[in-house]
Amino acid sequence: MAKLPTPQQLIADRPAFPDKHWLNVKSEFTPGSFCYPAKKDTMELLHMPNPHEWDPAAEDWGLPENWERILCDAFADRLEKHRSLKLFMDICVRCGACADKCHFFLGTNDPKNMPVLRAELLRSLYRRDHTMLGKLLGKTVGARAWDKSVVKELFYYAYQCTECRRCSLFCPYGIDTAEITMIVRELLHEVGLGTHWIMDPVKNCSFTGNHLGIKPHSFVEIVEMLADDCEIVTGIRPKTPFNQKNAEILFITPSGDVFADPGIYTFMGYLLLFHELDLNYTLSTYASEGGNFGSFTSFNMAKKLNAKMYAEAERLNVKWILGGECGHMWRVLNQYMDTYNGPTPVNMVKPVSPITGTEFTNAVSTKMVHVAEFTADLIYNNKLNLDPCRNDHIITTFHDSCNPSRGMGLLDEPRYVLKAVCNNFVEMPENTIREQTFCCGAGSGLNTEEIMELRMRAGMPRGNALRYVQQNHDVNHMACICAIDRATLPPLANYWAPGVTVSGLHELVANALVMKGEGKRTLDLRQEDLPNVEPDEAADTGEEQ
Amino acid sequence: MFPSLLLVLLIGVAAWAGTVAGGAVLFGVVLPYAAFAVFFAGMVWRMFYWAKSPVPFCIPTTGGQERSLPFIKQNAVDCPSSTGGVVVRMMLEVLLFRSLFRNTQAEVCSSRAGGVRSTYYSSKWLWVFALVFHYCFLLIFIRHFRFFVEPVPACVTFAESLDGIMQIGAPRLFLTGGCILVALCFLLGRRLFNERLRYISLFNDYFPLWLLIGIVGTGICLRYFDKCEIALVKIFVMGLTQFSPAPAAGINTLFFVHITLVSTLLLYFPFSKLTHMVGVFFSPTRNMPNNSRMARHINPWNPPKQYFTYAEYEDTYRDAMAEAGLPLDKQPDKAAE
Amino acid sequence: MDAKTLIDTNKDEILRQWIEAVYSLYPLETTGFVRTSSDPFGNPVGDMTKQAAAAIYNAITGEDTAVDTVKAALDRFVKLRAAQRANPSQGLGVFYLMKPILRKLLLPQLAKDDLETYLGVESRLDSLTLLAFDMYASARETLADLRITEIRNQHAQLTRWAQKHGVISTSQAR
């Protein structure tokens, strides 16, 4: 008769000692551990190589006949194109300083999520084909051959890295796993392996200008609905200029903020702020997506999507571009845009704030300014009438998004703005903020719901730090400057620190902004009561919930 | 771990046996020449190999506040926007291992006041021992110039006096010998006893450590225990440097083991992770300024622009856009023509 | 030695052994790290486990049995188990890893004259596990909810727009 297993037997899910070297451990594709694959017709439409239907959980991924040749050649090609790749393949000493810096490692305890090993997956292939010792000694020096299970492993771990660069900060040689992940993803796309959550928005952004594929006229209507909501809250209906030629400024922000809760409130914040300033600006339906989904795919795709910004700036004859709050968008804008698609069109000039006259000298070449820089300058020059008491029911902390922190250095501008619009601000622990910030756990195209548990594990270090300030400093709100954060932090907070709300920076700005001719504010942008304002005799917004 | 130890021992034994069997010229003359040649050629080739690939994008890892508005203080070292800043950042990285130093850890403790307080300290063991190892190595390297140059330069004598500052014993005890051995043992011990590191360590990690321990060990033996005739060694080495090898008679066998291990290190160097010595200077996340919005960085293989243009876009959605009252480049009636 | 002193003197050792037992469920290569680092933010898993260990022990020995404080102390740990890739039995089985340790360290000395107290400890461990079961189940429900809420939030504004235009009915949206 079979015995009931003891609790020890039930939970012991690993052998006492790993009987296999990591090179020989294969990845298991169980539901919840992988993102859904991209559709064949999406890949075809985008002219991606080797499009095919496949299933990550299946044994056979339907790789093209000569997959090994394709991958070897593509890898050799990338080595010729990127000095960083050659260098990062050669000089890692495996000191282990990066190992516990990765939020995926901390949350999953999977050894291959240590940045050093994630890179080693590719490095082992590099050794075989591109180093003398690897050619001579093979496995002894950690070299291995391409194999279908190796391709699966690369896919598994390239989509368990959010390209946050935290490891790169601690590496004595600056080895950047984001760079390696980006290139591994590029290689995988060469044999037709991509994920739906990334490729579908890529397709939509490419052909309609926003990530959901909403057609221009509907997009405009949706934005106008947000302007209507602004009117309910403030009594002022901000203008929504679209595709206006000869405006001074073109404003581009992630389209997620037009569709997704709570990003929409940040978008309303922009509309109100620009209206109050009477800014001569325009939105564009053609270049309405700032966030660059292409950057999760390949350098070329990122370039392709990014090209629309300067093209539209040229067509509309604007002087400079203002960019909204977004993480990956700003990594691309700060480090890639000018290289990809510069030099800027001739009609563009050095950005100058029309309100304060401040020259943004740090953006003289790209001519693109971050909205946090823009607003910080307004506040410094006393151009905004702010009533931070309206946000007094909020004790806020600030989540630094990975890309603006470690790919740009935008740290103090948003804090400057936040402190001006909120009286209660508390920092999270020192080794979880600023350049050492922990990722939300779902950046770089991983914020899809099929891997929710994985995201909760990966976001755990962030959630843990948030919970700490919630319990010790009564924090009930977290501000951020990234559209992906606004999508991924609410579930993270609901799981690890329930009771903390998440919003973009400019939602709080607009809540505190005293506008000329506005009605008495009793509601915030979410149309929730402002507790620190006594409701007046006239409950003018009674209809709304 | 064991194969690499075995290999180092094997090399040592071979050198010993070979020398005893009369192969001093092979191990003391031919091998060092070959090793030097391979080392220099190999390093030049390696740097050329790296330099051949372009740096397509400006990708510094920013470790602090960027240069932006006048009232916001830039962290000019960790987020440099100028060449000067990059030089300082690089110096701190190379001379003080700044990134390793960043390894902060937090500890939460209940304070007497009743609340909870966090303290931060830097987890610095790796940093300390890495620093000790590299600086000792440098000092030992400089000290050895006593054998290569005549007259002995003042800086070498100074380095020696610094190293022997404790003034213990005769021959005077050099601190670096002991320190480097301790540091090497720490670096090796980490790999052996820290499970995380043992898992990621390869033959390529153990081998250089054993090799260095071998070199330092034989060096220490030659100085303090199996003392060799310094004058003879100097004549022999000077002979090498002046391409007129002197006879090896009268020099300890252990000396040839030492020389052989050093030659092995030189041979191995350009083909291994040890190239991080020069590689760190090539690292684009550290050696570039964060000025990509101020100055355009050029990508030599920048592919041509290909994208869904506005004209195509308007062609696709013209009627709907017109209906929504959006400004158009071509009105529907015109476009139809 | 009376039961109370016995429980107090063995506390550290029991906690240590239980924490070790939990760590040993993680891949061997990573246990060294959870074991050595005491940084609550750098090593959250270790921190959560330690906090849970103390809470469990205090609860089963009757030190602190207020449901709210016990729940608060176990919250992070149970949520972690619920988000990690394991069967529910594996997720919560960790609580029962306490039993063999208790039987080894406490039972022999309590068996003679105070078996009652020992049995009380084990019973409270059972209750605690049931409490954790509730928390585990609710964490799983939260996860499922998060998926739904996220899908809804991603298109929140689009849905409102579609309602306004009568493309979908109001009931469909909520």
Side-chain angles (χ1 to χ4, degrees), chain C residues 86-107:
Chain C
N87 302 326
S89 63
Q90 292 175 324
L92 289 180
V94 285
F95 283 82
Y96 288 130
L97 291 182
M98 192 66 110
K99 276 196 182 170
I101 302 170
L102 294 173
R103 285 177 190 170
K104 195 171 74 199
L105 290 176
L106 287 187
L107 183 61

PDB file of all heavy atoms in Angstrom, chain C residues 86-107:
ATOM      1  N   ALA C  86       5.030  26.868  -6.662  1.00  0.00           N
ATOM      2  CA  ALA C  86       4.961  25.642  -5.885  1.00  0.00           C
ATOM      3  C   ALA C  86       3.495  25.252  -5.760  1.00  0.00           C
ATOM      4  O   ALA C  86       2.603  26.064  -5.988  1.00  0.00           O
ATOM      5  CB  ALA C  86       5.540  25.867  -4.499  1.00  0.00           C
ATOM      6  N   ASN C  87       3.232  24.002  -5.392  1.00  0.00           N
ATOM      7  CA  ASN C  87       1.868  23.604  -5.091  1.00  0.00           C
ATOM      8  C   ASN C  87       1.480  24.248  -3.774  1.00  0.00           C
ATOM      9  O   ASN C  87       2.341  24.542  -2.942  1.00  0.00           O
ATOM     10  CB  ASN C  87       1.778  22.092  -4.921  1.00  0.00           C
ATOM     11  CG  ASN C  87       2.241  21.389  -6.162  1.00  0.00           C
ATOM     12  OD1 ASN C  87       2.029  21.883  -7.262  1.00  0.00           O
ATOM     13  ND2 ASN C  87       2.897  20.266  -5.986  1.00  0.00           N
ATOM     14  N   PRO C  88       0.165  24.405  -3.556  1.00  0.00           N
ATOM     15  CA  PRO C  88      -0.252  24.934  -2.258  1.00  0.00           C
ATOM     16  C   PRO C  88       0.306  24.107  -1.110  1.00  0.00           C
ATOM     17  O   PRO C  88       0.733  24.656  -0.088  1.00  0.00           O
ATOM     18  CB  PRO C  88      -1.773  24.849  -2.320  1.00  0.00           C
ATOM     19  CG  PRO C  88      -2.095  24.933  -3.774  1.00  0.00           C
ATOM     20  CD  PRO C  88      -0.963  24.274  -4.494  1.00  0.00           C
ATOM     21  N   SER C  89       0.330  22.786  -1.269  1.00  0.00           N
ATOM     22  CA  SER C  89       0.860  21.953  -0.187  1.00  0.00           C
ATOM     23  C   SER C  89       2.317  22.288   0.083  1.00  0.00           C
ATOM     24  O   SER C  89       2.767  22.323   1.227  1.00  0.00           O
ATOM     25  CB  SER C  89       0.719  20.481  -0.540  1.00  0.00           C
ATOM     26  OG  SER C  89       1.485  20.185  -1.687  1.00  0.00           O
ATOM     27  N   GLN C  90       3.044  22.566  -0.982  1.00  0.00           N
ATOM     28  CA  GLN C  90       4.445  22.940  -0.795  1.00  0.00           C
ATOM     29  C   GLN C  90       4.552  24.322  -0.183  1.00  0.00           C
ATOM     30  O   GLN C  90       5.422  24.586   0.635  1.00  0.00           O
ATOM     31  CB  GLN C  90       5.180  22.916  -2.125  1.00  0.00           C
ATOM     32  CG  GLN C  90       5.328  21.515  -2.680  1.00  0.00           C
ATOM     33  CD  GLN C  90       5.946  21.516  -4.057  1.00  0.00           C
ATOM     34  OE1 GLN C  90       5.693  22.410  -4.852  1.00  0.00           O
ATOM     35  NE2 GLN C  90       6.730  20.501  -4.348  1.00  0.00           N
ATOM     36  N   GLY C  91       3.643  25.191  -0.597  1.00  0.00           N
ATOM     37  CA  GLY C  91       3.680  26.554  -0.090  1.00  0.00           C
ATOM     38  C   GLY C  91       3.497  26.597   1.421  1.00  0.00           C
ATOM     39  O   GLY C  91       4.194  27.313   2.134  1.00  0.00           O
ATOM     40  N   LEU C  92       2.540  25.825   1.923  1.00  0.00           N
ATOM     41  CA  LEU C  92       2.224  25.893   3.348  1.00  0.00           C
ATOM     42  C   LEU C  92       2.874  24.786   4.163  1.00  0.00           C
ATOM     43  O   LEU C  92       2.920  24.869   5.390  1.00  0.00           O
ATOM     44  CB  LEU C  92       0.704  25.871   3.536  1.00  0.00           C
ATOM     45  CG  LEU C  92       0.032  27.165   3.087  1.00  0.00           C
ATOM     46  CD1 LEU C  92      -1.470  27.070   3.291  1.00  0.00           C
ATOM     47  CD2 LEU C  92       0.575  28.358   3.865  1.00  0.00           C
ATOM     48  N   GLY C  93       3.348  23.750   3.480  1.00  0.00           N
ATOM     49  CA  GLY C  93       3.992  22.653   4.204  1.00  0.00           C
ATOM     50  C   GLY C  93       5.120  23.113   5.106  1.00  0.00           C
ATOM     51  O   GLY C  93       5.438  22.463   6.093  1.00  0.00           O
ATOM     52  N   VAL C  94       5.690  24.271   4.789  1.00  0.00           N
ATOM     53  CA  VAL C  94       6.799  24.778   5.608  1.00  0.00           C
ATOM     54  C   VAL C  94       6.417  24.893   7.084  1.00  0.00           C
ATOM     55  O   VAL C  94       7.256  24.743   7.954  1.00  0.00           O
ATOM     56  CB  VAL C  94       7.309  26.152   5.116  1.00  0.00           C
ATOM     57  CG1 VAL C  94       8.108  25.994   3.872  1.00  0.00           C
ATOM     58  CG2 VAL C  94       6.175  27.118   4.928  1.00  0.00           C
ATOM     59  N   PHE C  95       5.144  25.148   7.337  1.00  0.00           N
ATOM     60  CA  PHE C  95       4.733  25.274   8.742  1.00  0.00           C
ATOM     61  C   PHE C  95       4.952  23.959   9.486  1.00  0.00           C
ATOM     62  O   PHE C  95       5.335  23.938  10.635  1.00  0.00           O
ATOM     63  CB  PHE C  95       3.264  25.703   8.828  1.00  0.00           C
ATOM     64  CG  PHE C  95       3.072  27.154   8.538  1.00  0.00           C
ATOM     65  CD1 PHE C  95       3.006  27.616   7.230  1.00  0.00           C
ATOM     66  CD2 PHE C  95       2.994  28.071   9.566  1.00  0.00           C
ATOM     67  CE1 PHE C  95       2.845  28.958   6.957  1.00  0.00           C
ATOM     68  CE2 PHE C  95       2.833  29.421   9.299  1.00  0.00           C
ATOM     69  CZ  PHE C  95       2.756  29.865   7.990  1.00  0.00           C
ATOM     70  N   TYR C  96       4.666  22.869   8.785  1.00  0.00           N
ATOM     71  CA  TYR C  96       4.807  21.560   9.438  1.00  0.00           C
ATOM     72  C   TYR C  96       6.264  21.143   9.605  1.00  0.00           C
ATOM     73  O   TYR C  96       6.553  20.176  10.300  1.00  0.00           O
ATOM     74  CB  TYR C  96       4.034  20.500   8.659  1.00  0.00           C
ATOM     75  CG  TYR C  96       2.547  20.662   8.825  1.00  0.00           C
ATOM     76  CD1 TYR C  96       1.696  20.688   7.740  1.00  0.00           C
ATOM     77  CD2 TYR C  96       2.006  20.811  10.094  1.00  0.00           C
ATOM     78  CE1 TYR C  96       0.339  20.850   7.898  1.00  0.00           C
ATOM     79  CE2 TYR C  96       0.643  20.983  10.273  1.00  0.00           C
ATOM     80  CZ  TYR C  96      -0.189  21.010   9.161  1.00  0.00           C
ATOM     81  OH  TYR C  96      -1.532  21.174   9.335  1.00  0.00           O
ATOM     82  N   LEU C  97       7.161  21.863   8.964  1.00  0.00           N
ATOM     83  CA  LEU C  97       8.570  21.553   9.180  1.00  0.00           C
ATOM     84  C   LEU C  97       8.968  21.845  10.621  1.00  0.00           C
ATOM     85  O   LEU C  97      10.010  21.422  11.096  1.00  0.00           O
ATOM     86  CB  LEU C  97       9.449  22.381   8.231  1.00  0.00           C
ATOM     87  CG  LEU C  97       9.366  22.029   6.755  1.00  0.00           C
ATOM     88  CD1 LEU C  97      10.325  22.885   5.962  1.00  0.00           C
ATOM     89  CD2 LEU C  97       9.674  20.568   6.543  1.00  0.00           C
ATOM     90  N   MET C  98       8.111  22.588  11.309  1.00  0.00           N
ATOM     91  CA  MET C  98       8.372  22.912  12.707  1.00  0.00           C
ATOM     92  C   MET C  98       8.218  21.672  13.582  1.00  0.00           C
ATOM     93  O   MET C  98       8.893  21.530  14.598  1.00  0.00           O
ATOM     94  CB  MET C  98       7.389  24.002  13.129  1.00  0.00           C
ATOM     95  CG  MET C  98       7.672  24.677  14.446  1.00  0.00           C
ATOM     96  SD  MET C  98       9.175  25.640  14.415  1.00  0.00           S
ATOM     97  CE  MET C  98       8.568  27.304  14.489  1.00  0.00           C
ATOM     98  N   LYS C  99       7.304  20.776  13.206  1.00  0.00           N
ATOM     99  CA  LYS C  99       6.961  19.652  14.102  1.00  0.00           C
ATOM    100  C   LYS C  99       8.147  18.746  14.451  1.00  0.00           C
ATOM    101  O   LYS C  99       8.400  18.523  15.634  1.00  0.00           O
ATOM    102  CB  LYS C  99       5.806  18.845  13.505  1.00  0.00           C
ATOM    103  CG  LYS C  99       4.463  19.459  13.843  1.00  0.00           C
ATOM    104  CD  LYS C  99       3.298  18.516  13.611  1.00  0.00           C
ATOM    105  CE  LYS C  99       2.011  19.246  13.942  1.00  0.00           C
ATOM    106  NZ  LYS C  99       0.817  18.499  13.517  1.00  0.00           N
ATOM    107  N   PRO C 100       8.840  18.221  13.457  1.00  0.00           N
ATOM    108  CA  PRO C 100       9.949  17.347  13.840  1.00  0.00           C
ATOM    109  C   PRO C 100      10.966  18.040  14.740  1.00  0.00           C
ATOM    110  O   PRO C 100      11.558  17.407  15.619  1.00  0.00           O
ATOM    111  CB  PRO C 100      10.583  16.956  12.498  1.00  0.00           C
ATOM    112  CG  PRO C 100       9.906  17.717  11.449  1.00  0.00           C
ATOM    113  CD  PRO C 100       8.668  18.306  12.007  1.00  0.00           C
ATOM    114  N   ILE C 101      11.117  19.349  14.527  1.00  0.00           N
ATOM    115  CA  ILE C 101      12.087  20.082  15.348  1.00  0.00           C
ATOM    116  C   ILE C 101      11.586  20.172  16.790  1.00  0.00           C
ATOM    117  O   ILE C 101      12.329  19.940  17.741  1.00  0.00           O
ATOM    118  CB  ILE C 101      12.328  21.498  14.772  1.00  0.00           C
ATOM    119  CG1 ILE C 101      12.813  21.385  13.324  1.00  0.00           C
ATOM    120  CG2 ILE C 101      13.323  22.262  15.610  1.00  0.00           C
ATOM    121  CD1 ILE C 101      12.850  22.690  12.581  1.00  0.00           C
ATOM    122  N   LEU C 102      10.303  20.480  16.919  1.00  0.00           N
ATOM    123  CA  LEU C 102       9.715  20.554  18.260  1.00  0.00           C
ATOM    124  C   LEU C 102       9.815  19.196  18.950  1.00  0.00           C
ATOM    125  O   LEU C 102      10.141  19.087  20.129  1.00  0.00           O
ATOM    126  CB  LEU C 102       8.248  20.976  18.178  1.00  0.00           C
ATOM    127  CG  LEU C 102       7.966  22.392  17.673  1.00  0.00           C
ATOM    128  CD1 LEU C 102       6.462  22.591  17.483  1.00  0.00           C
ATOM    129  CD2 LEU C 102       8.504  23.434  18.640  1.00  0.00           C
ATOM    130  N   ARG C 103       9.516  18.158  18.175  1.00  0.00           N
ATOM    131  CA  ARG C 103       9.520  16.813  18.769  1.00  0.00           C
ATOM    132  C   ARG C 103      10.920  16.414  19.208  1.00  0.00           C
ATOM    133  O   ARG C 103      11.088  15.634  20.137  1.00  0.00           O
ATOM    134  CB  ARG C 103       8.963  15.804  17.765  1.00  0.00           C
ATOM    135  CG  ARG C 103       7.455  15.930  17.646  1.00  0.00           C
ATOM    136  CD  ARG C 103       6.859  15.016  16.622  1.00  0.00           C
ATOM    137  NE  ARG C 103       5.459  15.395  16.416  1.00  0.00           N
ATOM    138  CZ  ARG C 103       4.696  14.914  15.450  1.00  0.00           C
ATOM    139  NH1 ARG C 103       5.185  14.015  14.610  1.00  0.00           N
ATOM    140  NH2 ARG C 103       3.446  15.303  15.334  1.00  0.00           N
ATOM    141  N   LYS C 104      11.890  16.930  18.513  1.00  0.00           N
ATOM    142  CA  LYS C 104      13.259  16.582  18.877  1.00  0.00           C
ATOM    143  C   LYS C 104      13.725  17.384  20.086  1.00  0.00           C
ATOM    144  O   LYS C 104      14.343  16.861  21.004  1.00  0.00           O
ATOM    145  CB  LYS C 104      14.176  16.860  17.684  1.00  0.00           C
ATOM    146  CG  LYS C 104      15.540  16.216  17.791  1.00  0.00           C
ATOM    147  CD  LYS C 104      16.315  16.359  16.486  1.00  0.00           C
ATOM    148  CE  LYS C 104      16.787  17.791  16.332  1.00  0.00           C
ATOM    149  NZ  LYS C 104      17.138  18.180  14.975  1.00  0.00           N
ATOM    150  N   LEU C 105      13.380  18.648  20.119  1.00  0.00           N
ATOM    151  CA  LEU C 105      13.959  19.513  21.146  1.00  0.00           C
ATOM    152  C   LEU C 105      13.075  19.710  22.377  1.00  0.00           C
ATOM    153  O   LEU C 105      13.578  19.859  23.487  1.00  0.00           O
ATOM    154  CB  LEU C 105      14.299  20.881  20.539  1.00  0.00           C
ATOM    155  CG  LEU C 105      15.464  20.874  19.547  1.00  0.00           C
ATOM    156  CD1 LEU C 105      15.659  22.248  18.945  1.00  0.00           C
ATOM    157  CD2 LEU C 105      16.749  20.416  20.219  1.00  0.00           C
ATOM    158  N   LEU C 106      11.759  19.750  22.166  1.00  0.00           N
ATOM    159  CA  LEU C 106      10.894  20.033  23.318  1.00  0.00           C
ATOM    160  C   LEU C 106      10.262  18.771  23.899  1.00  0.00           C
ATOM    161  O   LEU C 106      10.216  18.577  25.111  1.00  0.00           O
ATOM    162  CB  LEU C 106       9.778  21.010  22.920  1.00  0.00           C
ATOM    163  CG  LEU C 106      10.151  22.463  22.685  1.00  0.00           C
ATOM    164  CD1 LEU C 106       8.886  23.287  22.469  1.00  0.00           C
ATOM    165  CD2 LEU C 106      10.931  23.032  23.857  1.00  0.00           C
ATOM    166  N   LEU C 107       9.775  17.917  23.013  1.00  0.00           N
ATOM    167  CA  LEU C 107       8.982  16.768  23.467  1.00  0.00           C
ATOM    168  C   LEU C 107       9.685  15.888  24.505  1.00  0.00           C
ATOM    169  O   LEU C 107       9.090  15.601  25.549  1.00  0.00           O
ATOM    170  CB  LEU C 107       8.514  15.929  22.266  1.00  0.00           C
ATOM    171  CG  LEU C 107       7.611  14.747  22.591  1.00  0.00           C
ATOM    172  CD1 LEU C 107       6.321  15.221  23.252  1.00  0.00           C
ATOM    173  CD2 LEU C 107       7.275  13.953  21.334  1.00  0.00           C
TER     174      LEU C 107
END
